[in-house]
Amino acid sequence: MAYTSIRPGQIWLDTEGKPIQAHGFSVFHKDGIYYWYGENKEKTRSGGNIWHWGVRCYISEDLYNWTDKGLIILPDTEDFGSPLHPNRCMDRPHIIFCEKTGKYVAWLKIMGEGNNQCMCVMQADDFFGPYEFVRKFYQPLQMNTGDFDLHVEATGKAYLIFDRPHFEIVVADLDETYTGVTGKYSVHCQTDGTACIGREAPVCFTKGNMHYLITSGTSWYYPNPSRIDCFSDIHGEYTNLGNPCRGEDDFISFGGQFTDVLKIPDKELYIACADRWIIDLELCRQRAKSMKKYAQMIPKSEPDYERKSSFKLPEEEKIYEDETRLSRYVWLPIIWENDNPIIQWKDEWTLEQFR
């Protein structure tokens, strides 16, 4: 079956009829080809210990139909100390191309020893690999690094944007090889660490002379209200524009957590792309409504990533932490109202609806 539209939240099959396995994903575009890549969860099972099975990539020319190109970063099943061992948390791969070195540079969020949150940096001559390690357990700026994004300006200047779990967003300049940071950074979106208020999952994109940053609250796999900030200087002052989602289920971001914004070449079209980690929307609604009563103010003297909430995930719902292979995807067009980005729900839509 060939697709002729995008249907957010529905099961999305590849050209072989298999569910697409690219979670915590991004989309890369080059020469008319789109590359959708993300965490391969095909072997993840409830009660098991496999977090990932490498990074899988799909390609498409129309954004509707995707062909599986296999694993571009393989799991390391032999070395338990490897950042790519399938038992280790590996999340949100991002790949950018460095014009100066001619290399594709991949950054991956890794859980290190002692629950230290790190980055793994790899590079390759070809988008499909093979990727070689540059840094295995890297803490930029000697900070714990949570969810992140890589942002490249038209000038070639690049930035690492990460949540310092879970109370502020850090923007750090990348060096000219895109494999490390220079030491220059700024801090934004600071909060007190309260559950569902602290920010994570940053997604940065540019329209004209303005930058935008979408972030999520922190509530495990349960969705919550998104937030979008705008700024003209990436190290300057950010303006909070509130929740970009409009309509029913906007308080749970339509059941998703945004992971990428894709600009379509030759169109004034930006697509907000999200993971729907939990497909039971009624459960998501119930948990979002009850989240506030569990949220407690956290002593500000506590170290950043050690801050805890009294909210505890019910035992019967922990299964979702192990069933991420079943998660789906929500892709929605961004509508612009007076230069403010708005995301509205659509059961089905096509690129042809936009000029």
Side-chain angles (χ1 to χ4, degrees):
M1 180 188 100
Y3 293 108
T4 57
S5 64
I6 292 175
R7 297 176 292 176
Q10 300 299 307
I11 295 175
W12 205 337
L13 305 178
D14 64 21
T15 53
E16 295 180 355
K18 300 177 181 179
I20 292 174
Q21 287 287 344
H23 311 279
F25 63 95
S26 288
V27 182
F28 185 89
H29 177 266
K30 182 179 180 180
D31 299 331
I33 303 295
Y34 296 94
Y35 302 75
W36 176 357
Y37 62 94
E39 306 157 36
N40 177 28
K41 299 284 195 178
E42 65 179 329
K43 295 182 182 292
T44 302
R45 295 293 187 277
S46 178
N49 59 1
I50 294 178
W51 184 271
H52 72 91
W53 202 257
V55 176
R56 185 174 291 277
C57 180
Y58 301 79
I59 64 169
S60 175
E61 294 184 9
D62 61 12
L63 286 180
Y64 304 140
N65 301 282
W66 295 87
T67 300
D68 184 5
K69 300 299 288 184
L71 299 180
I72 59 174
I73 298 178
L74 278 65
D76 185 344
T77 60
E78 302 297 325
D79 182 3
F80 283 93
S82 170
L84 295 178
H85 192 276
N87 290 11
R88 191 182 296 275
C89 293
M90 182 278 289
D91 297 326
R92 294 177 173 267
H94 288 283
I95 301 173
I96 53 178
F97 181 71
C98 181
E99 293 281 355
K100 183 175 181 63
T101 63
K103 300 282 189 180
Y104 291 90
V105 182
W107 287 61
L108 304 92
K109 172 187 168 185
I110 300 293
M111 189 65 74
E113 303 305 321
N115 289 328
N116 288 326
Q117 297 189 44
C118 311
M119 294 290 179
C120 172
V121 185
M122 309 179 77
Q123 63 182 12
D125 294 323
D126 186 86
F127 185 88
F128 295 111
Y131 285 85
E132 298 179 348
F133 289 113
V134 179
R135 305 173 189 268
K136 288 189 174 182
F137 295 99
Y138 177 45
Q139 285 194 312
L141 308 170
Q142 289 76 55
M143 295 179 182
N144 276 280
T145 51
D147 295 344
F148 75 103
D149 194 11
L150 299 177
H151 182 68
V152 182
E153 302 279 18
T155 61
K157 181 64 180 174
Y159 303 89
L160 168 68
I161 304 171
F162 64 92
D163 94 74
R164 192 177 179 196
H166 287 293
F167 75 108
E168 64 185 11
I169 298 293
V170 177
V171 179
D173 287 24
L174 291 183
D175 63 27
E176 60 183 7
T177 69
Y178 299 171
T179 61
V181 298
T182 65
K184 179 180 179 180
Y185 73 97
S186 55
V187 174
H188 310 273
C189 307
Q190 290 178 299
T191 65
D192 57 19
T194 304
C196 210
I197 298 178
R199 310 314 300 170
E200 66 178 12
V203 177
C204 185
F205 65 102
T206 301
K207 183 177 187 289
N209 296 321
M210 190 63 68
H211 304 288
Y212 299 88
L213 184 72
I214 301 176
T215 54
S216 165
T218 56
S219 54
W220 290 270
Y221 286 109
Y222 286 91
N224 54 64
S226 295
R227 165 178 162 178
I228 191 163
D229 290 78
C230 68
F231 45 95
S232 57
D233 178 359
I234 201 165
H235 287 303
E237 182 178 352
Y238 288 25
T239 300
N240 180 1
L241 301 178
N243 186 354
C245 300
R246 298 287 187 275
E248 185 179 4
D249 288 329
D250 57 5
F251 69 106
I252 55 170
S253 303
F254 311 121
Q257 183 183 53
F258 294 105
T259 183
D260 193 22
V261 170
L262 174 61
K263 170 64 170 66
I264 304 303
D266 303 322
K267 284 180 179 286
E268 284 300 312
L269 174 59
Y270 294 75
I271 303 175
C273 305
D275 290 287
R276 180 178 285 179
W277 294 111
I278 298 176
I279 62 178
D280 186 340
L281 282 185
E282 184 54 38
L283 177 60
C284 292
R285 295 180 188 111
Q286 293 172 5
R287 299 310 298 164
K289 290 175 181 177
S290 65
M291 191 72 69
K292 289 183 179 179
K293 75 177 183 179
Y294 289 98
Q296 302 289 329
M297 296 301 292
I298 309 302
K300 297 182 181 181
S301 61
E302 294 293 322
D304 51 336
Y305 75 100
E306 292 291 343
R307 297 178 179 185
K308 304 292 184 183
S309 163
S310 63
F311 177 82
K312 300 298 181 184
L313 197 63
E315 288 294 329
E316 65 272 16
E317 295 175 17
K318 288 184 178 179
I319 185 174
Y320 289 106
E321 295 191 3
D322 297 323
E323 295 293 358
T324 48
R325 65 187 173 88
L326 303 177
S327 64
R328 300 180 186 176
Y329 311 99
V330 175
W331 291 31
L332 290 167
I334 292 177
I335 308 299
W336 296 88
E337 295 181 357
N338 299 322
D339 293 328
N340 287 347
I342 303 299
I343 305 171
Q344 295 178 328
W345 177 258
K346 293 180 180 294
D347 291 326
E348 184 175 11
W349 63 280
T350 69
L351 276 68
E352 291 71 28
Q353 295 173 242
F354 298 85
R355 292 183 296 176

